[in-house]
Amino acid sequence: MKTSVIAMMFGLWVLTAPVVWAADAPSGRITSYGIYAYSLDDAHSTQAGGNVTYTQVKPVLAVTSDYIPLLKGIYFGYRFKLDDLPPGQVELTWTVKHPPIRKADGSTDTGYSLVRKVNVDRGSIVGDSGYILSDDDELVPGDWTFTYSYNGKVLVGKTFHVVDIGAPR
């Protein structure tokens, strides 16, 4: 794997519609999912630590599907909404699980987790979670799962089945 992995983890933002925080347990739902079109013209990158760089783009849903063709440059993921979060700063854990990927040093990677601190003042957050298959060593078929958790509870998550369709890469 290259020294930088282009992964898609989009900024979270607070909804502008007023929502009063209640003592309900936080919950989440997926609002769209599948293959997204994107432009790197408006992208900006963030170093997340180690050898991981996240490139943030504005995706547009192209196809709704759980099955993703194994093609270099394809972006897949989902949009979500989290509700009933407490006001103030909360920590959300983004977890990615993927098929074994052999890294340049010979080790194998099957996923990672990152903590994101997000300010909540109206109880709800919307965002995106996904990935761009950008490096040759990432081009392996198998299941990719993205989850967001709060206080150890998974609020939203989805598994995508990346399949080799025999197309040139």
Side-chain angles (χ1 to χ4, degrees):
M1 190 161 22
K2 291 182 182 176
T3 56
S4 68
V5 172
I6 299 179
M8 301 306 303
M9 189 165 89
F10 298 91
L12 304 172
W13 60 94
V14 178
L15 286 175
T16 56
V19 177
V20 176
W21 183 67
D24 294 334
S27 62
R29 63 185 170 90
I30 292 173
T31 58
S32 66
Y33 65 91
I35 300 170
Y36 288 80
Y38 62 93
S39 169
L40 292 178
D41 293 339
D42 299 322
H44 66 278
S45 296
T46 304
Q47 187 70 29
N51 293 329
V52 179
T53 300
Y54 292 93
T55 301
Q56 297 180 353
V57 299
K58 296 177 183 174
V60 176
L61 183 65
V63 177
T64 299
S65 181
D66 294 326
Y67 291 88
I68 309 301
L70 183 63
L71 298 171
K72 190 171 186 175
I74 199 163
Y75 166 70
F76 59 100
Y78 60 84
R79 288 195 170 145
F80 62 89
K81 181 179 179 195
L82 305 180
D83 291 309
D84 298 317
L85 292 166
Q89 190 174 71
V90 298
E91 290 186 352
L92 300 175
T93 302
W94 184 53
T95 301
V96 176
K97 293 181 182 178
H98 54 71
I101 294 174
R102 183 161 220 94
K103 295 163 55 171
D105 66 4
S107 64
T108 301
D109 183 27
T110 59
Y112 53 90
S113 292
L114 296 170
V115 174
R116 302 268 326 237
K117 293 183 180 182
V118 181
N119 290 318
V120 178
D121 66 357
R122 298 196 177 168
S124 295
I125 295 173
V126 295
D128 300 278
S129 181
Y131 201 89
I132 294 176
L133 297 176
S134 61
D135 295 330
D136 289 339
D137 54 347
E138 297 171 330
L139 298 177
V140 292
D143 289 347
W144 288 70
T145 302
F146 310 117
T147 62
Y148 266 101
S149 302
Y150 173 70
N151 282 345
K153 177 187 173 198
V154 174
L155 299 181
V156 67
K158 182 137 188 75
T159 297
F160 295 92
H161 313 288
V162 177
V163 294
D164 190 346
I165 58 172
R169 293 181 213 122

